[in-house]
Amino acid sequence: MDLETGFYQNRLKKESWRTVLTLAYQSLGVVYGDLSTSPLYVYTSTFADDIKHSETNEEVYGVLSFIFWTLTLIPLLKYVFIVLKADDNGEGGTFALYSLLCRHAKVNSLPNSQLADEELSTYKKNDVNIPAQTTFGGKIKSILERHRVLQRLLLVLSLGGASMVIGDGILTPAISVFSAISGAELSLGKAHHLYIEVPVACVVLIALFALQHYGTHRVGFMFAPIVVTWLLCISGIGLYNIIHWNPTVYRALSPYYVYKFLKKTRKGGWMSLGGILLCITGSEAMFADLGHFSQLSIKIAFTSLVYPSLVLAYMGQAAYLSRHHVMENDYQIGFYVSVPDKLRWPVLVIAVLAAVVASQAAITGTFSIIKQCCALGCFPRVKIVHTSSKIHGQVYIPEINWTLMILCLAVTIGFRDTKRLGNAAGLAVITVMLVTTCLMSLVIVLCWHQNVLLAVCFVIFFGTIEALYFSASLIRFFEGAWVPIAISLVFMIVMCIWHYGSLKKYEFDVQNKVSIDWLLSVGPSLGIVRVRGIGLIYTELVSGIPAIFPHFVTNFPAFHQVLVFICVKSVPIPHVRHEERFLVGHIGPREHHLYRCIVRYGYRDARKDDLQFENDLVCSIAEFIRTGKRGLNGNAAEDLSKDLEDMTVLGTPNTHISGVQLYEDNELNSESVGTSKLREMHTTHKTKPKKRVRFFIPESPKIERNAREELRELMEASEAGIAYILGHSYVRAKQGSSFLKRIVINFGYDFLARSSRPPCYALTVPHASTIEVGMVYHV
């Protein structure tokens, strides 16, 4: 599959019906795997203990009516017709809603945000107007911006949803694979299947996680056919059961049977809602995976195939159960009892394959949400491997993969039955949906600027339904529902500690940054020997000089001839256009050869490797020099805000073909690549250098002599090589801090910092060229 994402792909997706239908077909294998396999375990979990299948069939008809209206109201009405419209430049999910709110109200959790970020072309949608302060939406916006407590609650709510998505990534593979393999019970007998189910499920799960490093795209072409085959299979079996056993079962779709069901079963019926809830597992994927497809393609796939197939499957099971009140050989009520005997083994094979697809989608979604958390500074640094150059957003995280595998195996071996696995998975699913409902209500008011009554109606209608299911799942706390709560609590504590520690560390950097006056006072040589090469000083500061710089200068007798203070930051949008990737400016006069470069990425952007990044960075600085725009000068140095105002927005070299281009040769006598419109500018040496760097500069407009000399200095430095200077901080709580703060910083954050990947992994810088400067931060 070639599923390109990003805001700049959305228009391409809508070009033709052929494109839309192709995306709709591909979405079946990525988005709907989990939702499509839910018939395997819904009836089993619903009829486990709380309600019994009686001769009157009121329970079966009531459950079918509940399933039908739940599928209609939540996936169809809520997600397909409402939530999908709340995309963040083509992206969906919990963090997409949070980033929308961050941009429309100043509740951004990223500390190093700046006004220049709001000038990004995709920061705000063009069709949205800023609400007046007199409107109710304006008042809510003002309250959110004034109260830090509300901003933190909003962040915690988003992190809670993300944590439950991680929990779902553990539970979905377990229940999907285990339920699919449980069909062996009918063919092997109860005496033998107990010794086969758990081992086989564990083997399948281990194989699934072991193959993750190859990437979804390696087997992605198989996913859609498997899900299509599965949907056609369950809809065909359902249609057969309806015709053969009970053609009048369609009457149970009336909501009247919901009333009869609750009237007869009372508390037992309410508690059984935890099993009925499983019919909408995977619905959130329609929104979370929106970035891979388009709104129209997801709507077409759901309404034309997934929804009718699921309705037929559930109706078929109900039709069979309405004529079979005593299960043969005391088997559990479930999916496989309604499958004709001759088809059970083929259906079992297809079910296992479909369960693998469902599991793959959940695991990939977990990797994606953790990547977004890392980008927004809410998760410790982990190694993120992009497994596909064509399918954006498909990543592999080794640490998380093996953690998920261990937890998934522990849950499978520990529970060993569909009922408790269903209780656990149901609570995770409904919690994510509740978070989406809460965030959507704010999006309706703050981003869409609709009447507040519309947001209230949205919360009351969908929130009431989901709260009913949530209460039925929560009552099963000691029967499996505690698992997602425990998992999400652990991940939430990790996220909150990391975010708090990172925020305090940034505040320390801001309070201890060095004034530019000090830099200007030491002269062009900075008081030390300047040697050939480029020094990249990484910092989270977007203005000022980081404290590690004077600390480094006082301990080393020499420094590089070109210094670049570089800040690699995330902005609360999914993608930053290549034309707007860099912000470049001078620090001090030109003869200092000091620059500031801010590199901006969206929370779903893939960061380039070190070699490509080096070339792009050097080219962006060269283009900045060629254009003649100046940064701070000596007269403006006192105003630190000028450091931001005078910065120039530049793109990667492929976005300004007519600008400066960089070429590297390993031999000095290589042929020129210049054209009639470009002139070659290169350095000459008496001895043969290891690397030859050449800039190709447009002949028009003419550049000044000072700029030419500055470009030559940059080329010489680039030939000598690039060194990466990173601050290695040891964060400690300052004296007088509270006991809780000392525990969080000295033990919690310190443990996470030591256990996570070093900064050079997150920044994709080469180890051989890295210099780390250690400092103690008292926060």
Side-chain angles (χ1 to χ4, degrees), residues 538-684:
Y538 277 86
T539 174
E540 294 183 4
L541 296 176
V542 293
S543 65
I545 307 299
I548 65 167
F549 180 68
H551 182 70
F552 188 89
V553 168
T554 56
N555 288 276
F556 280 79
F559 217 82
H560 303 85
Q561 67 186 104
V562 174
L563 296 178
V564 182
F565 292 92
I566 183 169
C567 173
V568 180
K569 59 177 287 187
S570 295
V571 290
I573 59 175
H575 303 278
V576 175
R577 296 177 67 90
H578 292 291
E579 294 85 353
E580 302 169 318
R581 178 73 69 202
F582 296 100
L583 279 174
V584 183
H586 276 112
I587 299 180
R590 276 183 168 174
E591 56 267 23
H592 280 61
H593 301 298
L594 263 68
Y595 306 91
R596 182 183 306 285
C597 183
I598 299 174
V599 190
R600 300 179 291 186
Y601 289 99
Y603 57 80
R604 285 185 65 89
D605 275 330
R607 300 191 178 185
K608 294 184 178 180
D609 57 43
D610 54 292
L611 181 59
Q612 182 65 45
F613 177 75
E614 286 180 6
N615 293 338
D616 289 352
L617 178 64
V618 173
C619 269
S620 67
I621 297 174
E623 180 66 14
F624 167 74
I625 296 171
R626 185 189 71 86
T627 57
K629 295 185 178 182
R630 296 288 304 276
L632 281 176
N633 52 40
N635 297 328
E638 296 178 359
D639 187 2
L640 295 182
S641 63
K642 295 281 187 178
D643 192 22
L644 294 179
E645 294 173 3
D646 291 336
M647 298 190 76
T648 304
V649 178
L650 293 169
T652 53
N654 58 349
T655 64
H656 49 81
I657 304 299
S658 60
V660 176
Q661 299 293 318
L662 180 144
Y663 296 91
E664 292 183 1
D665 291 326
N666 293 324
E667 294 182 4
L668 190 60
N669 59 354
S670 60
E671 295 183 2
S672 173
V673 198
T675 66
S676 59
K677 294 184 179 180
L678 298 177
R679 64 178 181 273
E680 183 179 358
M681 185 176 185
H682 61 83
T683 58
T684 57

Side-chain angles (χ1 to χ4, degrees), residues 234-272:
I234 61 175
S235 60
I237 293 172
L239 190 60
Y240 166 80
N241 285 329
I242 293 171
I243 297 172
H244 188 265
W245 296 110
N246 189 355
T248 63
V249 74
Y250 67 89
R251 296 175 181 174
L253 302 182
S254 169
Y256 172 69
Y257 284 90
V258 171
Y259 166 75
K260 290 183 66 176
F261 172 76
L262 292 177
K263 183 180 179 181
K264 180 179 180 179
T265 57
R266 298 183 182 274
K267 183 180 178 181
W270 166 64
M271 295 181 68
S272 69

Side-chain angles (χ1 to χ4, degrees), residues 493-539:
I493 291 174
V494 169
M495 291 178 181
C496 290
I497 289 176
W498 185 261
H499 179 71
Y500 177 76
S502 301
L503 189 62
K504 289 299 178 182
K505 178 184 170 185
Y506 180 80
E507 291 175 355
F508 179 89
D509 279 333
V510 172
Q511 294 168 1
N512 292 273
K513 65 182 180 181
V514 179
S515 169
I516 296 180
D517 291 334
W518 170 83
L519 188 68
L520 299 177
S521 65
V522 297
S525 66
L526 304 182
I528 55 176
V529 177
R530 302 291 289 272
V531 297
R532 294 181 68 239
I534 297 177
L536 299 183
I537 304 172
Y538 277 86
T539 174

Side-chain angles (χ1 to χ4, degrees), residues 715-770:
M715 281 188 297
E716 292 179 356
S718 182
E719 282 188 355
I722 296 178
Y724 297 81
I725 295 92
L726 308 176
H728 190 91
S729 58
Y730 299 90
V731 183
R732 293 291 181 270
K734 59 186 176 182
Q735 291 185 350
S737 299
S738 65
F739 175 76
L740 180 60
K741 183 178 179 179
R742 292 199 302 271
I743 293 295
V744 169
I745 296 296
N746 294 348
F747 296 97
Y749 184 79
D750 181 68
F751 173 77
L752 293 176
R754 293 176 184 273
S755 303
S756 63
R757 299 274 180 171
C760 55
Y761 274 97
L763 298 171
T764 63
V765 299
H767 295 277
S769 305
T770 302

